[in-house]
Amino acid sequence: MGPLHRSSCRPPLAWFYSATAAWNWSALYTYFGINAGYAFDASDRNTGNTFAVPFPYAAPGTVASFRNRSQDGFSGGGQIGYNWQLTPGSGVVFGIEADAQYLDFGRNRNNAFVAGALAPGYYVTDPRGLSSLDFFGTVRGRLGYAFDRTLVYGTGGFAYGSGSADRSFGGYAGNDSFRTGWAVGGGVEYALPTDSFLNFFRSSAVTLKVEGLYVNLDRNTRNQGAFVINAANNFPVVYSGIGRRSDEFAVVRAGLNYKFGSY
């Protein structure tokens, strides 16, 4: 038997590359994904108070009370982003990500309780804090360090949110429902095998992430106190000045990212 040719003993180049090449987050530069989690109130809930509703908007002795009630609920949505890694394998990773999220804070929208009789055509509502939020979104930078398939990162940037202006939800005309602020957080993302059963879209790769995010949409003094509202035009006629509620909350969520690139 003749001598073996050296080339016949070599594994196919594609097999060799896939088995030994370092993971490259840059090669998986563009991605989109979905996420779900839970949101927790992080506000300074200083609106728990009682104030007398003045005549002629109520009968003498009528008071409105407000509770310091924490809110929490489901959060879910989607994200899209872009990665860039300095070196394959382990190394610094830069990125940018935008997301849009649904919030389920609506079941505790109005904290106002009235003892007495309001005049016909008026109602009382509490400050519209988290209770008015129906959705939020962010546009954030990401900076992390990759340990091959595992990426540990911090994130921060612009945030926005909005909610219902329906009177039954504690809103009123003239009180802006759209607000802006900032968000900061961090997380861990792990690249699953390409043939993972979670790769529904047959993308270049699929990653699983766990992330925590703090969102501040504080409107400062624009939402002070409790309000007596004229139902005819849905505008406030009395400001109690008993405090304000900030729009601050934290979100803990898990997500899947589907990445498309050259890897």
Side-chain angles (χ1 to χ4, degrees):
M1 183 175 65
L4 291 174
H5 293 288
R6 181 175 300 178
S7 59
S8 65
C9 299
R10 293 176 180 174
L13 181 60
W15 177 88
F16 179 82
Y17 179 80
S18 62
T20 62
W23 189 259
N24 189 350
W25 291 83
S26 285
L28 309 171
Y29 43 85
T30 303
Y31 64 88
F32 73 89
I34 55 175
N35 69 78
Y38 211 73
F40 305 87
D41 190 349
S43 302
D44 176 16
R45 298 185 303 277
N46 59 353
T47 59
N49 210 326
T50 299
F51 84 104
V53 183
F55 180 83
Y57 308 112
T62 299
V63 296
S65 300
F66 302 88
R67 296 178 181 177
N68 278 335
R69 181 159 56 190
S70 179
Q71 293 180 308
D72 57 84
F74 170 80
S75 174
Q79 65 271 353
I80 185 170
Y82 184 95
N83 286 323
W84 180 59
Q85 185 172 356
L86 292 178
T87 57
S90 297
V92 176
V93 177
F94 299 92
I96 186 169
E97 181 175 287
D99 66 278
Q101 308 292 129
Y102 166 75
L103 277 175
D104 183 23
F105 285 144
R107 62 187 179 278
N108 292 325
R109 287 190 183 268
N110 200 327
N111 290 341
F113 300 90
V114 178
L118 291 172
Y122 296 93
Y123 68 94
V124 178
T125 185
D126 65 323
R128 294 183 68 217
L130 289 180
S131 59
S132 68
L133 282 176
D134 290 324
F135 74 89
F136 80 97
T138 68
V139 180
R140 294 169 285 105
R142 300 205 310 171
L143 175 62
Y145 193 89
F147 301 89
D148 197 38
R149 289 176 175 261
T150 301
L151 173 64
V152 180
Y153 64 90
T155 182
F158 173 77
Y160 64 91
S162 188
S164 174
D166 190 317
R167 194 188 80 179
S168 64
F169 288 160
Y172 56 87
N175 188 22
D176 59 317
S177 63
F178 184 81
R179 64 213 75 168
T180 59
W182 52 275
V184 65
V188 179
E189 189 169 357
Y190 179 75
L192 301 172
T194 304
D195 59 355
S196 168
F197 75 95
L198 293 173
N199 195 357
F200 307 116
F201 301 101
R202 298 305 176 205
S203 61
S204 300
V206 57
T207 64
L208 174 66
K209 72 171 184 177
V210 178
E211 183 177 72
L213 203 63
Y214 167 80
V215 181
N216 187 310
L217 302 176
D218 188 355
R219 291 183 296 173
N220 296 319
T221 60
R222 287 182 290 168
N223 197 18
Q224 283 197 343
F227 307 99
V228 178
I229 310 297
N230 185 340
N233 55 23
N234 208 29
F235 271 89
V237 294
V238 175
Y239 296 81
S240 74
I242 60 173
R244 67 179 175 85
R245 181 181 180 123
S246 301
D247 294 331
E248 305 170 53
F249 58 95
V251 180
V252 177
R253 59 193 182 185
L256 288 172
N257 283 328
Y258 296 92
K259 299 177 179 289
F260 297 89
S262 59
Y263 198 89

